[in-house]
Every structure is written in C-alpha cells, then in structure tokens.
Amino acid sequence: MNKKKKIGGLRRLFEISIVIIIGCICAITRSAAAAAAKDDQFLLLLGVSPQDEDYYKGLLSSPSSTIKCKDGSFKFSTSQLNDDFCDCPDASDEPGTSACPNGKFYCKNAGHIPFSLYSSRVNDGICDCCDGSDEYDGKVKCPNTCWEAGKVARERLKMKIATYQQGVTVRNRLVEQAKLAIAKEEAELSKLKNEEKILKGLVEQLQERKEQIEKAEEKERLQKEKEDKERKETEEANLKEKQNGEQVESSEADALKNDIHDKIGEQVESSEADALKNEMHDKIGLLGDSSSSQDVMEGHGDSESEAQHGEFDVKEESPIGDVKPLQEDSLLHATEKEEQLTVDGQPGLDTGNQAEVEEDNSESLSKEELGRLVASRWTGEKTEPQTQEVSSAKDKNHGTEEEDAYGEEYSGYDSEEDEHRYDNNDDGDNEDQMDDFGGEDHDDSSPSYKSESDDEPDLPAEPSWLEKIQKSVRRIFQAVTFFQTPVDKSEAARVRKEYDESSAKLSKLQSRISSLTHKLKHDFGREKEFYSFYGQCFENKQNKYVYKICPFKQASQVEGHSTTRLGSWEKFEDSYKVMQFLNGDKCWNGPDRSMKVKLRCGLNNEVTDVDEPSRCEYLALLSTPAVCVEEKLKELQDKLDMMNKEQPTSHDEL
Amino acid sequence: MKESPNLIFHVLFLLLLISPSVFSWKKDEFRNCNQTPFCKRARSRKPGACNLIATEVSISDDGDLIAKLITKTPENNESQDPPVEVDSKPLLLTISVYQDGILRLKIDEDQSLNPPKKRFEVPDVIVDEFLSKKLYLQRISEEKIDNDLGFSSVVYLDGDYEGVLRHDPFEVFVRERGNGKRVLSINSNGLFDFEQLREKKEGDDWEERFRSHTDTRPYGPQSISFDVSFFGADIVSGIPEHATSLALKPTSGPGVEDGFSEPYRLFNLDVFEYLHESPFGLYGSIPFMFSHGKARGSSGFFWLNAAEMQIDVFGTGWNAGQDKIMMPVDEKRIDTLWMSEAGVVDAFFFVGPRPKDVIRQYTSVTGRPAMPQLFATAYHQCRWNYRDEEDVFGVDSKFDEHDIPYDVLWLDIEHTDGKRYFTWDKVLFPNPEEMQNKLAAKGRHMVTIVDPHIKRDDNYYIHKEASDNGYYVKDASNRDFDGWCWPGSSSYVDVVNPDIRSWWADKFSYGNYVGSTPSLYIWNDMNEPSVFNGPEVTMPRDALHFGGTEHRELHNAYGYYFHMATSNGLVKRENGKDRPFVLSRAFFPGTQRYGAVWTGDNTAEWDHLRVSVPMLLTLGLTGISFSGADVGGFFGNPEPDLLVRWYQLGAYYPFFRAHAHQDTKRREPWLFGERNTQLIREAIHTRYMFLPYFYTLFREANVTGTPVIRPLWMEFPADEETFSNDEAFMVGNGLLVQGVYTERAKHVSVYLPGDQSWYDLRNGATYKGGKRHKFEALEDSVPAFQRAGTIIPRKDRFRRSSTQMDKDPYTLVIALNSSKEAEGELYIDDGKSFNFENGAYIHRHFKFSNGKLTSSNAAPSGAGGNKFSLDCTVERIILLGLSPAPKSALIEPANQKVGIEMGPLTIRPGKSPSFATIRKPNVRIADNWTIKIL
C-alpha cells in the first residue's frame, strides 16, 4: 500500500516538474524557479542517479546553498540546479536537462533496467527511457513501456541464467577432464622421452654394426668384381651404351627440373609459394624414401641380387625415376602452359591482369577486357571469369598444402585425419580419444601415410615392444662374430632389418614426442577450459560459404572446392573472450585476411554467426560452455534480483 | 594438384610485377598537350601570330556592338613564309554589356556563309535573369590608342569602366574610365586563333589516335585559342578542378616548377588515385579565372565552353625579347593562354574590383548557389559500402552509443541489385523503406548512389525504356554507345536533351523509385562520364548527343546536365516543396544551382589533406560553395593522427562527409581507441555547434555568391601576405581556420591578417592581427580564431542530429574589436522547404556598440508573404574582449535585469579561462531587443 502511494506521488511531482521546467525555459526569474524548486526535492533531483543523491544533499536544505561542481571548476546554487543552463562544464548542475553537453540523465525505468542517458537525449522529441521520463517538455507523449519491455528483458535474462547454470556445470566437467588428460599426456611425454633415450642408444649400436657389415660386404664385392671383370667386359660394352643413353635423358630432365625450381625461386617470394615448393620437394623425398627402403629390404632377402650389383645403381635410382616422370610431367606441363599463355597473350595476361601488363597490351585488349581492367583498379578485384579459376586453383592448392604440412607434423600418430573425424563431434569428450594410438584408417591415400600408419599397431599396441627390440638386439650382438668373412648373409639381413625397424620406430617416437610437446605448449585457458578445442573444428554455413574454425590451428572459408585461409591461430584475446586468427590469405589491394571469434556462453560448441565487418576482416560468434564462468552467472543473477526488486508490485495501476 | 601449382606461380609472378604500380597514377592513360594536336598547335604559336583585324563595327538591333574579324591582307609582302593556310571567311564578333560591369564577347562563324555545321553553344548554363540585365548600347566612340594606325571602338560598361575593341591589331579589353588603365584583355599578345569548319577534302586525314582508340573527327580541326591578360594581378586562381595550390603556378615561360610544364587541363576525368600537386584535369571543369592584386583588386574571366580546354599561365617575362608586344610593358600583369578543342568564343569579363564583386558578377551569369537543407550542412557518414541493413543499423546505433551526432548515412553502389540504380539488393536490403524510416525517426537521412551508366539488361526497366525511346548517347555510327562501367556493359543517358532529363527526373518519384522515402536523397558519381574502356576512361569524343552534337563539344558539361536532371527529379517528387540534395562528382559552371560536389577519390595522405583546402577554396571562388573532400581520404588507411586532423579540418568544410574505399579498414569514429573517439566527437561537435553560423553563410552564398569558406584575401584584399596563403581559410568573415598537415606536429605557424586582433576558439586568448604566430599544435583541435569585431551565433547543445536541434536555444559569441564593437548575422528558416523564397525566414542583424547589443531585423521589408516563426531563445551571450567584466545587463524593451557571470568559451570538461557571460537572457531570437551592459 505504501508503495502505491509513493508512485502516485511521483506522478504528481513529475507533472509539477514539467510545468516548472517549461517555466524555466520561459524565463521565469530565478527566484521564482527557486521558490518552486523548494517545494520539492524530487524535482531538483530530476535525472539524478541514486548513487549521486548524496552529492546533491547539500543543496536540498535551502535555495541559497551552493556546492562545487564535481570537477571543482565552478560553484552552483540550488536555484542553478536543473535550471536549464549549464554552469558546470562537467554537467553536474544539470543532471535533468540537455543544457550541458557532457551530462547524463538517469531514468529509473521502474519495472525494467534503470539507465543513464546522454543529456543530448533529454527533450529531443524521441522517447528513450521506457518510463518516458526523458521527454517532459510536452512536445511528445512517451508512454511508459517499462513493464512490457521489462518482462521481455527478464525472461531473456532468466533464459540466459539457465544457460549459464548448465554451462557452468559443463565447463567444470571440461576443466576436470582437461586436467586429467593433460596430466596423462605429460606423463606419456616423459615416458616417451625415456624410451627415446634407450631406443636411440640401440639404434646407434645397430647402425655401427650395420656399417661394419657393409664395409665387409664392400670388400667382398670389390674382390668379386675384380674376378668377374674380364668375364663381363664383353657383355658390358653393349649394356653400357644403352645405359648411357638413358642417363643423358634423365640428366636433361634434371636440368629442366632445376631450371623450373630456380625460376620459381626467383619469381615467387610469397610464403605460400615457398610452402608449395617445399611441399613438392618433400613429396619427392617421401616417395623416394619409402620405395627405396622397400627396395633395400627386398634386396636383403635375395642373395642373388648381390651378384647383379652392377645394376644396383640403376635400381637405386629407379624409385626416383618412378617419381620423376610424374613430377616432371606436371612441371613440364605447366611450363608448356606458361609458354602458351605468354604466347597467346590475351587470356593469360588477363588472368594476371592489371597495370604493367595492360600498359603494354591494352591496345590489343578488347573493349570489354579494357573495361574490366580499369574497373578492377577501383575494386581491387580480379576480372572474372578467368580470375575465378585462378583463385579457386589457388585455394585448392592451399587446401592440400595445409593438410600435407599438417599431416607431416603429426605423421604416424594422431594424424590430422583422426581429428577431422571429430569435427562434428561436439560433445567435448574427445580428449580421451587423443590417447588412442590405434591405427585408424586414413582417408588420405598418400603412400607415405599408408606405410606409416600401417606400422602403427606395432608400436603402441604392445607395451613391451621396447623390451622386444632390446632383446633381439642383444641376440644379434651375441650371435655375431665380428669381422667374420665371408659375411653371414642372413645375419647381415637381420641386422639391417633390425636397424631399419628400430630407426623407423625411433622416428615415430620422436614425432609423437614433438607433437605432444607442441600440443602441450598451447594456451588452453586459465583453467585449461579450452583443452577440448584442440583438434576440433567448428563450422557454419552462410549462403554459399562454409566457415571452418579450428582453434589452435586455423580458420578458413570454403566455397565449393576452393578454400580461402582466413588466418592461422594466433592467440586468445580480451581475457579469453576472443580467439584471434591472423595472417590468412592476402586480400588483393587489402590486408591479409584475419578472423576474430567472439566466444559466448552456450551449451554446445556452435558457430552462430560469421560476418565481414571490414573487408577481409572476419568476425564470428562461437557459443561454447567453455566461457560459462561462474562470476558472470552471479552477476546475471544479481541483475535479475535487482530487476525484480525494482518491479512495482502493482504495475497494473500504472 | 595436377595443373594448379604453375598457374599459381604464374599469377603470383604477375601480381609481383604489378604491385609497385598499383598505387600510382596512370599517367600514360591520359593525353598530354603534345599528344593533343590542338593543344600542341596552339602552344607552339608565337606572340603576334594573329593576323585578324576588326572591321564593319556597328551597333546591332539588339543593342550589341558587332563587327567582323577578317584576315589582314599582307600589304607589303616581305614575309618569306609561304602563305599560311588561312581560315579566310570572316568571323562575327559581338560585344554585349550587362549590369554590374559585365562584358560579354562572342566570336563565331558567320552562319550566313553556310559553314558545314553550327558550332556548339552550351545551353542551360546562363540564367534567364542575367539575360534580362542586358544594357542596350547607345553609341560607340572611336579613338586612337597607343599610336595605332587604326581606330578603337569604345563602349560604355559601367560607371567606372569601358569596353574597348581595338581594330588593328585586334584586341578586346576592359579599362578603367578616366585613367584608361586596362583591367583585363583578350589577344593582347596576338595569340588568337580560330580554326573554322571546312568540308573534308580528299586526302584530309582528320582521325586522331590515342592508345587503342581512334577518334574519327568527322568535322576536322575546329579549335580556338587566345591569350587573356590580367592587369595589376599578383595572382591568378580558379579554373578548377586541379589538385594544386590556390594561386596558380606558371606552366609556361620562366619559373615553371617540376610537374607543371603541362597546361592546366579542363577535361572531366575519372582519375584513379590522383596526384596532389599537378595541373592535370580532374572530375570537373570551370573555365573561370579569378585574378587578384594589391594594386587594383580582383577581376575575372569566364569562357563558357564545354569542350576540352587547356590553359597556360605564363611566368613573368615569358615573352621577353618578342618584338610584337602590343601592350604597355610597365603593367604588372599575368598572361594566360586559353585553348579549346571546339565550340565558340563566349567569354565574360568581370571587373570586380573587390573579390566579392567578381564572385557576385560571375554568379549573376551562372546562378547563385542553391540553399541546401539544414541536414545537408551537418555531418555525413559514408563508406563503400555499408553492406546491409544490419550494418546500417549497427553504425547508426554506434553513433548514438558514443554520443556522436550525424545526419546522413550513405549507401554506395553495392546496395543495388547488380548495379542497377533505383533497385535494391534483395538479400542485403530487403526492407529499404523500413530502414529509412527507422533512421528518419531519429531525424536522420539516407543517400543512395545513382550513376549515369545504365546496365544493358533487357529485364532492367530503365534500360528498356531508355533503349526503346532512344534516350542513350550514340556512338559515331549512331548506335547506342556501349561502354563498360560498374554493371559491365552499359549505356549512358543523353541528359543533354531536356526531354530526356525530364524523363530521368520522373524516375525519382516514390512510385518509380521503389523503396525510396522522403528522407532519401541522391548521390551522382561517375558522371564525367566514367567509361572504363573508353579513351582516357571516358566517352569517345565522336560519340553523338541530342541534336547531332559531338561529345567533344560538350564533354565537360555532361555531368552537369546529369546532376541537373537528378536534382530536378528530387524537386519533382515532392512537387517543389522539398529542397533537393544531390552530390555530384563532375561539375561545370552552374553546378552550384543543383547541389554539392566533392573532390573525388582522394587518398589517405597528409598531402591530400593539405591540398583539399586550396581545392575547396578554388571551387568557392568559382561559384561552387557547397563542396568538401572525403574526410579520411578515400584510398588507403589513415593513421589515427591523420584521421583526427582530417575530422578537425573537415568540420569546417562546407560539405562535411567521411568516406572510404571498400578495401580500406573500417574507420568509423569509434574504432581508434577512446582518446581518438573523443577527439573526433569533439571535431564533429564543433561543426554542430557552428551550424547556425554555417547555415547563415550558406544563405549569404545563396544571395550573393560569396562562398562559405574563403581565401584570406577575400576578406583582407589588401594584405599581400595572404595572397599565397592557402593553408588557412576564412569561414565567413568571422572565423579563420588553419589545418595541421603534418604527422605529430608540435607547432603550427598561423598568419593572422588585418589590423584587428583574433580570439583563439580553444581558450579565448587574443592575438594581434597582421602577424604570423607560432602555436603549439594541440591535439584537441586545429587552430581556429574568431575575428575581433564579429558576432557568431552557435548552438551549444548536442543532439543525435541537426533535426533535434531546431528548438534549442542559441549562444551568441561577441568578439569585440579595439573600439569595443562587433557585428554579426543569423539566418534561420524551416531548413527544408522553398518557403524561404517567399519570405518565410528570420534574418537577424546583431550589433554591439556603446555597451549595447542590438538585435534588429535584417530581412528586407515585405520580403514575400510567408512568415516563419520560431520560439527559440538566446541562452547565453559571451563577450570576448570586455574587461573588467560587468555585473549585470538590462534587457529592453522587457526592462528586465540579467546577471553577468564568468563562463567558459566552450563547455568542455576541465578548467578553462572564463569570460563575461550573460546568463539566460532568454530573449527570443526572432524578436527585436537590446541588451545594455550595466
């Protein structure tokens, strides 16, 4: 009942205030205004927030009392308070009018959230406060909409609180799991490092042994060769001629290859191109390695092959030879293309488009091409449709490049393919799966991957594998008599096999160590709440684009078969509320692409929106339980409590 | 993987090759004088080469002086030169005289001799009112001057001036009556040449080639060139648009600086990333030159001609050693050479003598600047592009969030459905009306872009109608000209035809322009016209317009007619009740009647900030008062320091708009940290604070032609120190503003002209006039000063936009001069309609003298039947230069006493010096009253 009265009173006072303020505008003398003001403190304190009421207390006793402006610059009296003239540069004398440019007007908004407006909104003819208190000069009628608006706001707040409540639980679980998983991985890492040390020793021993055997073999071979020399001389003459021919051919091809590589080196400085070049080299290397080692292993089993040692060179080269045609083919092909383009002029040049070229050739361009060309200067866009081809080709390549590069980094263990499988798996529990070394089927058909992943079960499946190796090495050393001639062929093969296997295992071990170290170096958040993001990707489809956000890795935009890199993982920002990806693909005539991902509390990991507010600067919203922090929940609850408190009990009277 | 790697290398390789040249001006794309035959020919002529003489001088029935120009028959044939191929037909010369000291000279072919074609005269530029001010000449007096063999014919021009036609050698000039001193003249150096149209004879190759383009030139050479001399001139200025100094540098003869060896070119072009110091022609052309000198004052010369023009300014002593000089050599003068590809001679001589007289005379011919709507004089926010409705609302609400006022949000080409103007992208802007209404509810407006190139798409109604009706410009073979612009293959509306302009204007009705509302206004870009695949990025010169006129004859006016048609469209849509707002990039004499212009695609560099001032001052001198440069620079990303300085200076541009290229980073005012946001907010607030003053100045321009921002010498014509000063400028007669043009500047040197002192706007400190002062470069504003002796009206309350300020009270700032006097004016109307033309406005005159401030009505009595009433009051009167401060004042006739207290010059947080302030006089701004200091 009390409250009701108060509200009625407020309304009455309010009406008075309108009259008086208008009175002020109409230049009623100051004393008259002061007299009127004396009637009611409420009027004086128009637009004052509850926190500030104390500051004005000194003015309420008598009309002649004065206080200093908050910034101390001037003094003002009761009659100057809210008299629609700015006496204090900091606006402290005009909380309820628009007279001071820097002021704030407090609207109570009973039933909704109280709000401080810029004084520039007071009596400007636009209703800003839901209680309408900012428009009191009678020019507009502002209905009180606080109850309705407040109801909606409260509902929304309640829902948000509910989300946070659940979210906090999920987050706590995430934090627990992350801690366990990290501890496990750290333990594993130290174990692996231990094993690495032992295995390294073994491999070194084996290598030594292997070299001894090879030395002996070499000796034998030379001996044998000498014996065979005369016998073979006649036959060889024919054979050599043939081989020479082949070698010339292949050396020409080599030269060409080098040539192209040099060219690339000269022309391309961008890191993309470098990466690509490296990748090509690596590919050659991988293919070569794998097949040559296979060859060597086969060779061991076959003592006959020793006899044909003269052909060994040829054979050794053959794996590379296998690769080369492929490689050369594509390069040659491309070179041809390049030449063609240069010769043809138009389409090729147009693809590259722009300035210099145009200067020389615009005479020969068609009118339409010229138009596109000039337009492109302003837009910075490449001229369609050639451009589209180019950019998609470029994008395509990025895709493969990344995957390859990434694959290498983690080769053998949790290869990227494993991670990709979790892409849509948003349960946040997959950290356990990271421990699973079980060799999975890979989507990738690259031979280098296959061979390695096929090996995998050996390593992790049996915990005693190290002991096994140790045992067999010991056996070797026990069985072998040093400097035995002729070399025991089966023994030599065993040593080689043992060496190859062990060093392969060592390299896998090392790569696992490095991948683990790399992973654990990341900043997973204050409480490691983002640990589960590792290896995950979140997607969002917007029209024709699919945006793919892979925390700790990269963000990209996929359109059909082409991928544009929007940035590589940089860091968390703004106390873990934003993820930043930088240095994406270059924007023509613009900055490198980049992406910010704002994190919002939500029950699932979900990209809710992607935007490009500035050219090539992307902004995404990701809802995730990882940011549902308890403090914020409390804050929200307090806010709701306050709204409920302010809520008039009998709103229907308003 | 198969074919991609090499393709990538290929592309990367090309990109590498290209990148250094991406950000440079494509000089080779444009013709220089040597590649332009008419320019090359004219420039190589020697002084005295003209062999024309005036004969048969008489007064016509129309009250004009008429004469024939014929080739002088070589009497003593001593010249070894082979007989020059002569344009032997006589030319017709007409001199007309108009009120206010304006002499008009026309020279054309004699139509009675059946030339192959009527040469083009630019229609719709000269206002009808001017024609009615013609004086009918009564008599011609003959006299001999300078020991001439022949006579000179002298006509009355003005009480103080006479027009003279010298017969042999042929020369036309204006001189002071009495002392006979020349003011300005044509052909004093004998460089006049007029190539008459001929029938093409066998073997004549009239084609011109430039790069891949061929100009068929079916009418052959038809250029005109002549020299113009400005006597008693220390500087010449004008002939925009060039990105260069206000006082034009010489382009020929001694003292030519690097980069200025080409004539000033007037040829409307869409120049990509223009240079900041160059005589090269940009988006608009006004062949009007302004001269000023300490000795005599100002004069002006205007050649109404829309073909390509090239103008040389000769350095002093350029013709030393030439023996054929006809003029008195002791005169201090500046000689210039004017060359045009086609058209006729239709030239106007303006005698001044004060700078404001010249601008009044010029705008009496081409029209006074239109009165803009109030909102258009406030701050505009633009970007290529505000992407969608959400973006629009986001930007709009951010302004509110940061308490930064703005009045207009702009949408560039991407808002359309595939660059089809008058349409909306349905995905990005599904509810354009709702969007505009939402902004309009806050008193804000929107602007959309409408360009003259029309997408050639049969499903596009504009194209359908235009092609069905034959409304497009034709190519040389009389098919619709097809060029390339934003939409791809495009045609161009032939707005030279008044009927087509009328059709175009109808497209802006709410019914035709679906999605438009009354709060939507228009932006005309690319109207040079820009044709991406055309010669010099524009339309071929042999393209054909209405009436068989070749594009070469009217090129520079095309954008003007387009602007005119659009502006008329906005008038039409509201039945003449709402003032139009149309921004145009191309311009021509008369553009001032149709809207605002801006300086096109500038760059985010300090040099471009610097050159914006002379560019805008030049526009103002040539009638276009409502102009601005893109704040922040269109291309590139400004450093925060540059952006802030640009806002601080841009706040005083007559047209104040921020704009940016789509490839630039977002740069709305709040994106550069709290401090910079605050600085930009303050800069924008400054503009809003001075809106009443600006609006008053726009009205002054509307009535007299005097530009809103002015060179210092316009206000201080006798102060030589100001003649070459184009880094500071006057806003009206009361404010002097100096930009800060260097990064992290520590100090700024400012020259304050005149013998009265100046009050620093930042703190009210006084500085002596007639001196250069060194100021600390404060970060919170550029140096700006109020001139002693002026009264400036302000509104110190801030709102979301100018719309909400209409009822807010005024502040008057009275800056007293040494005799404790000051004057000022205030103009107010409804800010929107044309009712002011019928007297619906308030025009106050404030005068402070003898310790009394008087407000009186400055509107002419009986100025139309409409009345405009307003309840606004004056809330504060600040008195600068009054000490010791009195205690109170008496308002009359109310006989009411008000207190005088000490208050700051502008209200901003923190301590600042305070000045005598009359607190709440609350007198109505519309009333007559007096406030007496007690």
Side-chain angles (χ1 to χ4, degrees), chain A residues 552-602:
Chain A
F552 304 107
K553 194 174 151 195
Q554 64 161 1
S556 54
Q557 179 194 54
V558 184
E559 184 191 5
H561 293 293
S562 80
T563 300
T564 308
R565 270 170 10 89
L566 302 183
S568 312
W569 171 257
E570 180 71 17
K571 60 176 179 197
F572 285 103
E573 265 191 342
D574 192 15
S575 42
Y576 297 97
K577 276 185 272 188
V578 171
M579 302 193 292
Q580 184 155 45
F581 296 86
L582 292 180
N583 304 317
D585 288 346
K586 182 139 186 66
C587 250
W588 209 87
N589 213 2
D592 288 347
R593 287 178 176 79
S594 63
M595 181 178 240
K596 274 189 179 180
V597 183
K598 285 190 179 170
L599 301 173
R600 296 274 166 82
C601 169

Side-chain angles (χ1 to χ4, degrees), chain B residues 276-335:
Chain B
H276 67 271
E277 258 298 286
S278 165
F280 192 79
L282 298 178
Y283 310 93
S285 299
I286 299 184
F288 169 46
M289 195 178 271
F290 211 107
S291 90
H292 184 68
K294 187 181 166 70
R296 203 205 71 90
S298 295
S299 64
F301 176 82
F302 167 47
W303 183 6
L304 178 54
N305 185 305
E308 175 179 6
M309 205 180 283
Q310 302 262 7
I311 302 170
D312 265 318
V313 173
F314 293 117
T316 315
W318 67 278
N319 53 0
Q322 303 282 354
D323 52 347
K324 288 206 171 178
I325 302 162
M326 293 173 277
M327 64 181 71
V329 277
D330 56 344
E331 282 280 4
K332 189 174 191 181
R333 60 164 210 278
I334 295 176
D335 293 336

Side-chain angles (χ1 to χ4, degrees), chain B residues 739-802:
Chain B
V740 173
Y741 306 115
T742 49
E743 201 171 353
R744 281 177 278 280
K746 290 257 185 311
H747 298 280
V748 199
S749 160
V750 186
Y751 178 74
L752 297 173
D755 48 12
Q756 291 289 339
S757 47
W758 297 80
Y759 297 89
D760 194 326
L761 287 192
R762 294 173 287 195
N763 50 27
T766 41
Y767 297 94
K768 270 212 164 70
K771 272 186 74 178
R772 187 162 277 279
H773 299 266
K774 194 174 175 189
F775 293 95
E776 198 185 328
L778 302 175
E779 67 168 353
D780 57 0
S781 75
V782 293
F785 306 85
Q786 185 174 345
R787 180 183 180 180
T790 60
I791 298 176
I792 290 184
R794 306 193 315 210
K795 281 196 177 186
D796 288 3
R797 299 189 182 199
F798 299 123
R799 300 299 190 179
R800 285 179 176 88
S801 70
S802 69

Side-chain angles (χ1 to χ4, degrees), chain A residues 431-500:
Chain A
E431 57 268 32
D432 288 345
Q433 299 179 41
M434 300 292 285
D435 291 340
D436 182 357
F437 298 149
E440 303 284 346
D441 279 344
H442 293 264
D443 303 334
D444 197 302
S445 54
S446 149
S448 64
Y449 278 23
K450 266 222 164 106
S451 64
E452 274 172 314
S453 54
D454 285 345
D455 280 347
E456 270 179 39
D458 292 355
L459 189 74
E462 301 160 52
S464 58
W465 60 273
L466 188 61
E467 286 167 32
K468 251 184 177 172
I469 292 177
Q470 276 176 302
K471 244 185 233 162
S472 61
V473 171
R474 239 174 280 137
R475 238 182 292 131
I476 288 169
F477 285 109
Q478 283 163 5
V480 170
T481 328
F482 287 78
F483 307 116
Q484 183 185 327
T485 355
V487 178
D488 178 342
K489 292 247 168 76
S490 73
E491 186 53 39
R494 247 178 70 200
V495 170
R496 281 199 183 94
K497 185 165 173 259
E498 214 46 75
Y499 171 76
D500 289 338

Side-chain angles (χ1 to χ4, degrees), chain A residues 494-610:
Chain A
R494 247 178 70 200
V495 170
R496 281 199 183 94
K497 185 165 173 259
E498 214 46 75
Y499 171 76
D500 289 338
E501 278 174 11
S502 306
S503 57
K505 282 208 166 105
L506 178 60
S507 82
K508 275 171 205 159
L509 197 65
Q510 282 168 335
S511 93
R512 172 63 178 163
I513 287 170
S514 101
S515 88
L516 265 181
T517 317
H518 180 259
K519 177 178 179 182
L520 291 172
K521 254 195 281 182
H522 284 295
D523 173 8
F524 292 122
R526 267 186 291 249
E527 297 178 87
K528 315 286 181 209
E529 64 271 26
F530 296 107
Y531 176 81
S532 69
F533 277 15
Y534 192 84
Q536 284 207 70
C537 291
F538 311 110
E539 284 185 8
N540 178 280
K541 199 167 178 322
Q542 300 251 322
N543 302 326
K544 54 187 177 175
Y545 299 115
V546 175
Y547 292 89
K548 204 162 147 188
I549 298 166
C550 308
F552 304 107
K553 194 174 151 195
Q554 64 161 1
S556 54
Q557 179 194 54
V558 184
E559 184 191 5
H561 293 293
S562 80
T563 300
T564 308
R565 270 170 10 89
L566 302 183
S568 312
W569 171 257
E570 180 71 17
K571 60 176 179 197
F572 285 103
E573 265 191 342
D574 192 15
S575 42
Y576 297 97
K577 276 185 272 188
V578 171
M579 302 193 292
Q580 184 155 45
F581 296 86
L582 292 180
N583 304 317
D585 288 346
K586 182 139 186 66
C587 250
W588 209 87
N589 213 2
D592 288 347
R593 287 178 176 79
S594 63
M595 181 178 240
K596 274 189 179 180
V597 183
K598 285 190 179 170
L599 301 173
R600 296 274 166 82
C601 169
L603 295 182
N604 297 312
N605 291 328
E606 196 181 348
V607 181
T608 54
D609 192 23
V610 184

Side-chain angles (χ1 to χ4, degrees), chain A residues 21 64 80 169 190 194 309 402 423 445 460 557 642:
Chain A
I21 296 292
S64 56
Q80 285 172 307
T169 321
S190 73
N194 232 358
H309 219 103
E402 289 148 20
D423 279 358
S445 54
Q557 179 194 54
M642 201 181 63

Side-chain angles (χ1 to χ4, degrees), chain A residues 83 87 98 118 120-122 124 128 267 334 353 367 377-378 588-589 611-615 617, chain B residues 6 11 15-16 18 23 29 387 400-401 403 533 661 663 665-666 797-800 919-920:
Chain A
D83 72 338
D87 293 289
S98 63
Y118 290 114
S120 60
R121 314 289 198 261
V122 177
D124 68 346
D128 290 288
Q267 293 173 351
N353 73 62
K367 283 271 159 68
R377 256 185 238 151
W378 277 269
W588 209 87
N589 213 2
D611 205 359
E612 190 184 351
S614 193
R615 193 167 168 84
E617 294 178 355
Chain B
N6 252 60
V11 169
L15 286 179
L16 277 173
I18 286 155
F23 291 104
E29 206 156 69
R387 202 186 40 233
D400 288 343
E401 200 178 295
D403 204 21
N533 58 351
H661 187 280
D663 287 347
K665 284 172 165 297
R666 291 297 277 248
R797 299 189 182 199
F798 299 123
R799 300 299 190 179
R800 285 179 176 88
R919 193 179 187 282
K920 292 174 77 175

